[in-house]
Amino acid sequence: MPKRPIPTVPIDSFESLVQGLPEHVELFKKQAIVIFRGFKFSREQQLEVTRLFGDHANWYPNSTIPFEQCWPYEENHLRTMDALNKHGIPKDELFLPWHIEHMGHRNPAIGATWNMEKFSCDSDKGNTLFVNISDVYDLFSEEEASFLKKCKIAAFYSWEQLDIDEQGEPSLHDAVEMYETSRRYALRLNALFKYDRESFYLHSFDNREPSEEENLRFEKLCWKFTENVQENEDLQQVHMWQENDLIVVDLFLMAHAVLGGFKPYERSFYGLWAHRKLGDKYF
């Protein structure tokens, strides 16, 4: 099991969150996640929290455009359980695999707020695991990092049979990006840690078509990245949910996974995606 529980921030009102916002924002920039506990946020208050953090994380929604379209969703994972036959996954096994959100989108979600409106299962069930991919980047040698900085990736958005949209052309992005909010380098590799031309591949190297040797080297470094996310417990963090927890998470940096042990009627949250720019969230 992961060694590091993520500390929660006790809070007793929406007003106290607003008053302490500078400290909360600094904590968010430092650890890419803030978890508020002790107050039941309404959905309207959750949206306002998303906007307030958007002012500092350079995402939409933010307070500069108060009436823009948002992308809310309700999640109890029933659809995943039914579609992928994932009912009855034990609490110590992965229910949702490690992933990075929306990398195949041209306007990806780079953040979210998750409001756990119902949580009636035991606290050791339905936990969410996190790894900061900047921490993974720091494990690579200077030579490896230099190689990856020359790589441009082609990525499709796909959750296999759960993906109902057809994407004609992949989204292109750099394998290594400097993230403005944290001022740290991040490895932006495959969302579902698969390597094939149907989901994710090396599009170019140093602004030209990659050689076979460069493709092989890239794949080897991708697996190093994957192994550290999935197996390096020194990097993994865990959140053990309680009802009414509100998470503000940096999805540009946080790979995450969900453990099993819960039924859909026991665990349900309301989510708001936060995007890099205004406009359509997909392609």
Side-chain angles (χ1 to χ4, degrees):
M1 285 292 293
K3 298 178 180 179
R4 289 190 293 160
I6 302 172
T8 59
V9 177
I11 198 163
D12 59 9
S13 68
F14 175 75
E15 290 73 22
S16 64
L17 184 153
V18 175
Q19 291 171 1
L21 186 64
E23 295 178 8
H24 304 324
V25 168
E26 286 307 307
L27 182 62
F28 175 81
K29 290 180 178 180
K30 178 181 178 181
Q31 62 184 29
I33 189 170
V34 179
I35 304 168
F36 297 107
R37 174 170 288 174
F39 177 72
K40 183 176 181 178
F41 290 87
S42 69
R43 293 183 176 184
E44 292 76 16
Q45 290 169 330
Q46 179 185 352
L47 175 57
E48 185 60 26
V49 171
T50 310
R51 288 185 175 129
L52 290 171
F53 275 85
D55 293 340
H56 302 275
N58 298 317
W59 70 40
Y60 293 92
N62 57 54
S63 63
T64 64
I65 307 177
F67 300 110
E68 82 279 23
Q69 183 176 4
C70 297
W71 303 102
Y73 63 105
E74 297 181 46
E75 184 63 85
N76 65 1
H77 297 297
L78 176 61
R79 178 169 173 249
T80 301
M81 291 179 184
D82 288 344
L84 300 181
N85 192 26
K86 285 205 166 188
H87 290 274
I89 300 296
K91 65 180 182 180
D92 294 327
E93 294 184 13
L94 289 183
F95 166 73
L96 284 184
W98 285 101
H99 60 284
I100 301 170
E101 296 287 356
H102 297 184
M103 278 182 47
H105 292 170
R106 290 188 171 85
N107 184 19
I110 60 171
T113 55
W114 297 331
N115 186 356
M116 189 59 75
E117 295 181 331
K118 184 174 184 179
F119 192 86
S120 59
C121 57
D122 295 337
S123 61
D124 62 344
K125 298 177 180 179
N127 295 338
T128 303
L129 310 180
F130 296 92
V131 166
N132 188 321
I133 57 177
S134 289
D135 293 338
V136 182
Y137 174 85
D138 291 343
L139 298 177
F140 283 68
S141 70
E142 185 176 342
E143 188 277 330
E144 290 171 332
S146 178
F147 176 90
L148 287 166
K149 286 178 181 179
K150 298 177 182 179
C151 295
K152 187 173 286 291
I153 291 169
F156 289 92
Y157 179 64
S158 175
W159 274 92
E160 299 180 6
Q161 61 260 49
L162 292 185
D163 182 21
I164 60 175
D165 298 295
E166 293 185 2
Q167 183 178 358
E169 297 292 332
S171 175
L172 303 180
H173 67 271
D174 294 330
V176 178
E177 296 187 42
M178 168 61 75
Y179 187 44
E180 293 179 4
T181 301
S182 66
R183 303 304 300 167
R184 295 180 69 190
Y185 282 111
L187 273 175
R188 296 285 292 170
L189 299 182
N190 177 260
L192 292 176
F193 307 99
K194 300 185 302 181
Y195 306 106
D196 55 63
R197 296 192 74 84
E198 284 71 42
S199 59
F200 170 80
Y201 61 91
L202 179 60
H203 177 268
S204 60
F205 181 82
D206 204 15
N207 297 314
R208 57 170 172 77
E209 185 174 345
S211 66
E212 182 178 355
E213 180 181 357
E214 289 159 349
N215 268 313
L216 291 173
R217 181 81 194 286
F218 175 73
E219 183 172 344
K220 181 179 179 180
L221 293 175
C222 284
W223 282 114
K224 177 177 179 178
F225 173 78
T226 296
E227 288 169 359
N228 274 286
V229 169
Q230 295 183 350
E231 300 175 15
N232 189 339
E233 292 188 353
D234 291 335
L235 299 182
Q236 293 177 359
Q237 303 174 78
V238 60
H239 177 56
M240 301 177 70
W241 289 93
Q242 290 185 15
E243 192 164 287
N244 299 323
D245 283 353
L246 178 68
I247 283 184
V248 184
V249 59
D250 187 328
L251 293 178
F252 188 92
L253 295 182
M254 284 299 207
H256 51 287
V258 178
L259 294 171
F262 64 95
K263 301 183 186 305
Y265 58 80
E266 296 177 322
R267 183 187 188 276
S268 177
F269 70 87
Y270 182 75
L272 286 170
W273 296 120
H275 292 268
R276 176 173 275 175
K277 57 186 178 182
L278 285 171
D280 188 90
K281 66 176 181 174
Y282 286 110
F283 313 125

